[in-house]
Amino acid sequence: MALRIAQKIPDTEAEGPGVRFAVWVQGCTLRCPGCCNPEMFVHGKGAFEVEPAALAAEVLATPAVEGLSILGGEPFEQAAEVAALARLVKAGGKTVMVYSGYTLEELQQRAQQEPGVQALLEAADLLLDGRYDETKPETARRWVGSTNQTLHFFTDAYQPNDQRFWTANTVELRLENGQLTINGWPAPADVLRRFLRSC
């Protein structure tokens, strides 16, 4: 059971609370207008496959990581594989944050027929849900793309009044082996990507 991923960053503070290991899955049928990762829409294109156990071992072996953030693409379109990864990371004492374009209500309806969806919901400490809306950029809450999205706290690992959720959003730039990676708050990250593509 392999997981198709597009990208991973072992130490980011722009994708959830604390220092996190971030994994972007490949494939999304929602295709929100203005999405900053349109290259991750197609399920096969640009993906590489990893076994959840091997990726979980990599996460748990990374020093000073508070948890795992799973983005996309759309994690719930590979729910069983992502759930396997999330459960292993959780068992290793780390937290799990999942970003989804589906609403919690939609996921709960799917969970009745799809065990993987239910398993991933149960493994998550935090879920950011809802389709990204480029016309409603979020400026108050950190790690949230647009104001219509909701952050759900499923466990006691984090609390809504934690000040980390109410500080300024950030964008991170990395240059490794001649390749530039941009991640973080969608609107400015997308502006940077378009600027660099035009150069």
Side-chain angles (χ1 to χ4, degrees):
M1 166 171 77
L3 174 62
R4 295 182 310 277
I5 69 172
Q7 170 180 303
K8 59 184 178 179
I9 294 177
D11 58 346
T12 177
E13 295 181 57
E15 307 297 350
V19 177
R20 306 191 73 78
F21 194 113
V23 173
W24 285 260
V25 301
Q26 182 72 31
C28 179
T29 57
L30 294 175
R31 304 187 176 201
C32 300
C35 175
C36 58
N37 296 322
E39 70 279 6
M40 297 178 193
F41 286 167
V42 180
H43 275 269
K45 186 177 179 182
F48 59 99
E49 293 189 344
V50 295
E51 292 299 320
L55 186 52
E58 186 179 348
V59 174
L60 296 174
T62 304
V65 167
E66 182 171 325
L68 168 69
S69 289
I70 307 165
L71 311 93
E74 173 51 54
F76 282 92
E77 292 184 9
Q78 296 181 68
E81 294 82 359
V82 176
L85 168 64
R87 280 195 304 260
L88 290 167
V89 169
K90 254 324 246 295
K94 306 298 183 184
T95 60
V96 174
M97 181 174 185
V98 181
Y99 289 75
S100 178
Y102 293 100
T103 64
L104 178 57
E105 292 74 21
E106 289 172 322
L107 294 171
Q108 289 170 332
Q109 289 176 0
R110 285 180 52 192
Q112 297 173 23
Q113 306 297 324
E114 301 176 52
V117 171
Q118 182 62 37
L120 181 50
L121 287 172
E122 291 174 355
D125 295 287
L126 292 169
L127 171 70
L128 180 69
D129 79 339
R131 287 152 184 76
Y132 173 64
D133 186 338
E134 64 181 334
T135 69
K136 301 176 180 177
E138 176 63 75
T139 58
R141 296 175 296 165
R142 193 172 186 190
W143 307 305
V144 178
S146 55
T147 58
N148 61 295
Q149 296 174 315
T150 302
L151 190 56
H152 300 275
F153 295 78
F154 290 153
T155 70
D156 292 334
Y158 300 104
Q159 300 298 323
N161 60 357
D162 185 330
Q163 286 304 303
R164 291 182 294 178
F165 292 96
W166 300 95
T167 57
N169 269 301
T170 56
V171 172
E172 293 177 349
L173 303 170
R174 286 180 177 75
L175 183 61
E176 296 178 9
N177 302 320
Q179 183 174 358
L180 182 66
T181 302
I182 303 169
N183 69 292
W185 192 35
D190 194 40
V191 169
L192 276 172
R193 284 190 192 90
R194 279 182 284 160
F195 171 76
L196 291 169
R197 286 183 191 129
S198 69
C199 292

